[in-house]
Amino acid sequence: MVQARSGFVSGDEKEGLKHEDVSLGEACEDLSTRVRDKPYGISATVTDSAGDKHNIAGVIGKSKDTFNIEGSPLEKAIYKHQWEHQVFGGRPVPKHIRAGDVQFRGFLWRDGMPKHITSVEGVDENGVKFHWDHRRQRKGRMPYHEISKLTGKEKFYCWDWVKFWKYHHTPQQAVSWWIAWCFLFGSVFFLMAACSSLSHKVYTDQTHRASEYDWLDGYPAVFGACFFFWPGIWLMVIENANTDLEMRRHNWRVHGEKGRKPGFRWLFPVKVNNLLWWASLLMFTKATAFNVSTIASCLLGDVPEDWTTSQEQWWIYFTLTYGSAAFIGASIPFCWDGTHSFWRGYFPFTAREWKSLPFWVNAWQLWGSIGFLISSAVPYKTDITWKGQILQVIFGNLIGSVWFGLNGYGLFLELSNLQMT
């Protein structure tokens, strides 16, 4: 049993005290609710099974997990991974969970546990099943075990994402929205460049800065690469470096708010124990290579006589080839993360995958990367015919841009439909 005491403090006045005997779980829930609902001080005395009393120090704040549990039976509420924080939300992790009575999915296994956890399923201390998913937590979506509690059919929103002000309540949510925005509209510029390349007149007019090639093909590609995909992918690095923000802040409160409050990693977004952080960093090198390729392609239209075939291949096609290959390599871990498997996530083989929005978002990203790789590999054949050029554009840049556009729109749909699977 736990004896809980709550004091309500406003300035120098105290407004009454209440004593009650409740269970340990009820005390945790009661304290969490009070701190969440009102910014007043909370204090409590916890008596463990041995009869020893432990004080839960009062903390002022609105979060449901702002009570100090260090040195008390609640000390196990210090979390080691973000899934523990999202599932238990201020409650101690049950002993049977700490003992390993839980099902993990993930990669890079060590000592019976994956270093990169993609999914966790188990039963909490009350016998209630929970199912945590890494991608859903990263995008701020509702956990599977919460979705199962919903009744009725939820409405699917196709255009709610245009109300951008609804998606900027937290830094993580805002970053996810801008990633989708950069990918969707950056793809529009690449699609414009690909469509213009289907014109024989535009493709052969590469003689000066004001040429149709520059305005309809070169500049849109530069704009899409430098001002959309490049910052969008950097935001992916930031997103994957901050998936544990709420857990870090919770542990900071538990330790008595000692030191600086954990903040959002904007300037130095580093999280080396996250596989997707490394994948995003690899993508960023790809985006930088794309910038070099598109800018060099425009310069080639200005001074064609100064470029040798070797220079053209190195500055334009090699950077584009590396960028596309790096994007493929970086997209594969995202497919793994979404399907919890090395072998799935590339093409839909099950009914569940056909109906899974996150599956398609990851697959479109991978397919778009393959399209751009096709466009970068074909020009190494210097005597390519106009018909070969048409096939290269259609099955390369054109389709690749469409896949990336769908990827950006799918990211928006994920943010707009937090309860959908």
Side-chain angles (χ1 to χ4, degrees):
M1 298 298 289
V2 178
Q3 185 183 60
R5 179 175 63 85
S6 58
F8 307 92
V9 182
S10 176
D12 296 328
E13 299 179 358
K14 296 184 179 180
E15 305 176 359
L17 295 173
K18 181 180 178 182
H19 296 269
E20 53 188 17
D21 289 327
V22 294
S23 67
L24 180 60
E26 291 171 337
C28 296
E29 182 177 0
D30 180 58
L31 288 169
S32 300
T33 303
R34 292 174 182 173
V35 177
R36 180 181 67 243
D37 293 341
K38 292 184 178 181
Y40 46 57
I42 295 292
S43 62
T45 301
V46 177
T47 304
D48 61 19
S49 57
D52 297 325
K53 292 185 177 182
H54 304 269
N55 179 57
I56 300 177
V59 178
I60 295 178
K62 293 185 178 181
S63 175
K64 64 181 179 180
D65 47 28
T66 56
F67 47 88
N68 189 346
I69 58 175
E70 192 170 7
S72 77
L74 303 184
E75 189 172 2
K76 292 182 180 179
I78 298 176
Y79 301 127
K80 301 177 181 179
H81 195 277
Q82 58 257 32
W83 76 264
E84 298 176 343
H85 178 264
Q86 188 175 40
V87 171
F88 298 106
R91 310 193 315 270
V93 178
K95 291 182 179 180
H96 69 279
I97 299 294
R98 291 292 191 202
D101 188 11
V102 65
Q103 180 182 357
F104 290 103
R105 291 183 180 180
F107 307 99
L108 307 176
W109 287 75
R110 184 177 181 182
D111 299 328
M113 186 174 180
K115 300 293 289 183
H116 179 80
I117 302 174
T118 62
S119 174
V120 183
E121 295 183 60
V123 179
D124 66 15
E125 69 275 22
N126 298 317
V128 179
K129 293 182 179 180
F130 63 83
H131 183 182
W132 176 86
D133 182 84
H134 180 245
R135 182 177 181 85
R136 299 188 72 86
Q137 189 263 344
R138 178 163 57 91
K139 293 297 181 181
R141 307 186 73 204
M142 188 178 294
Y144 284 118
H145 56 273
E146 295 293 339
I147 296 176
S148 62
K149 300 177 183 178
L150 299 177
T151 57
K153 187 176 181 180
E154 296 291 329
K155 182 179 179 180
F156 189 83
Y157 297 95
C158 295
W159 300 103
D160 192 66
W161 56 269
V162 298
K163 303 174 183 177
F164 63 90
W165 57 89
K166 295 175 58 177
Y167 302 94
H168 288 68
H169 296 301
T170 65
Q172 191 78 358
Q173 188 183 47
V175 166
S176 297
W177 190 92
W178 281 103
I179 290 172
W181 190 87
C182 288
F183 274 46
L184 176 60
F185 292 100
S187 300
V188 172
F189 286 96
F190 273 107
L191 185 61
M192 183 189 304
C195 290
S196 65
S197 294
L198 295 175
S199 167
H200 186 269
K201 183 177 184 301
V202 171
Y203 182 73
T204 55
D205 182 17
Q206 305 180 31
T207 55
H208 52 83
R209 182 177 296 279
S211 68
E212 292 181 358
Y213 172 84
D214 279 343
W215 284 109
L216 297 178
D217 190 324
Y219 293 149
V222 170
F223 203 72
C226 297
F227 298 103
F228 286 87
F229 274 93
W230 196 65
I233 293 173
W234 179 247
L235 288 175
M236 289 182 66
V237 176
I238 293 176
E239 179 188 54
N240 285 287
N242 288 279
T243 55
D244 62 347
L245 175 63
E246 293 303 320
M247 181 202 73
R248 289 187 289 117
R249 286 181 174 174
H250 164 85
N251 290 341
W252 172 75
R253 297 187 188 104
V254 166
H255 286 98
E257 301 187 358
K258 298 177 182 178
R260 180 179 297 180
K261 180 180 180 180
F264 199 80
R265 298 176 177 128
W266 288 106
L267 297 179
F268 301 100
V270 179
K271 193 170 187 292
V272 295
N273 61 343
N274 185 347
L275 178 63
L276 298 190
W277 180 82
W278 288 102
S280 301
L281 196 63
L282 179 60
M283 278 190 187
F284 187 69
T285 66
K286 162 267 169 192
T288 304
F290 259 48
N291 291 352
V292 174
S293 176
T294 54
I295 293 173
S297 182
C298 282
L299 293 177
L300 174 63
D302 298 328
V303 284
E305 68 278 0
D306 294 338
W307 286 75
T308 65
T309 300
S310 177
Q311 288 176 318
E312 180 181 349
Q313 289 182 344
W314 274 105
W315 284 100
I316 300 178
Y317 301 121
F318 173 77
T319 52
L320 184 61
T321 302
Y322 166 76
S324 303
F327 217 133
I328 292 175
S331 297
I332 290 175
F334 284 87
C335 294
W336 296 347
D337 185 73
T339 58
H340 323 296
S341 170
F342 283 115
W343 317 113
R344 298 167 61 182
Y346 315 121
F347 299 96
F349 293 110
T350 65
R352 182 175 181 179
E353 290 172 349
W354 276 99
K355 295 185 294 184
S356 172
L357 177 60
F359 173 88
W360 287 109
V361 171
N362 292 326
W364 287 329
Q365 179 175 290
L366 176 63
W367 298 352
S369 305
I370 294 174
F372 280 109
L373 182 62
I374 292 174
S375 284
S376 63
V378 172
Y380 283 103
K381 181 177 173 58
T382 56
D383 58 343
I384 184 173
T385 63
W386 170 242
K387 185 176 180 180
Q389 166 68 18
I390 291 291
L391 294 176
Q392 170 212 348
V393 172
I394 292 177
F395 291 100
N397 287 346
L398 184 64
I399 290 182
S401 300
V402 171
W403 291 138
F404 272 114
L406 290 172
N407 169 261
Y409 183 62
L411 290 171
F412 273 135
L413 293 181
E414 279 193 281
L415 295 175
S416 304
N417 301 275
L418 302 180
Q419 78 287 352
M420 302 298 292
T421 58

